[in-house]
Amino acid sequence: HVDVRGLEPPQPMLEILAVVEQAAAERIVVHHEREPHFLYPELAERRWRHALVPGEEGEVRLILTPERGP
């Protein structure tokens, strides 16, 4: 899990990308205050997918997973 609520831009994106770059996990759960539209192209470049899932009130929760295949 990575919780970037309360961080000022661009810190949330930088922190999430740092976790993605070092990820040994098959799944990363992100807790954010708003939908990070600028993050999505960066994830695609790194071959990671995102899915919005229900979270707490006032929270945007994402599940990040690496793409499979060649």
Side-chain angles (χ1 to χ4, degrees), residues 5-69:
R5 293 174 285 187
L7 298 178
E8 293 293 321
Q11 282 308 119
M13 185 165 71
L14 296 175
E15 193 163 318
I16 294 165
L17 292 176
V19 170
V20 165
E21 292 291 332
Q22 299 174 5
E26 293 295 313
R27 179 176 93 140
I28 300 168
V29 179
V30 175
H31 306 272
H32 209 309
E33 295 172 327
R34 58 184 114 16
E35 189 171 358
H37 295 283
F38 294 115
L39 175 65
Y40 300 150
E42 298 292 333
L43 291 172
E45 281 183 25
R46 291 162 175 80
R47 299 181 49 102
W48 280 72
R49 296 180 185 180
H50 69 278
L52 288 170
V53 296
E56 299 172 9
E57 187 172 328
E59 172 193 24
V60 173
R61 189 175 295 179
L62 300 167
I63 304 293
L64 309 181
T65 54
E67 290 183 10
R68 297 284 178 217

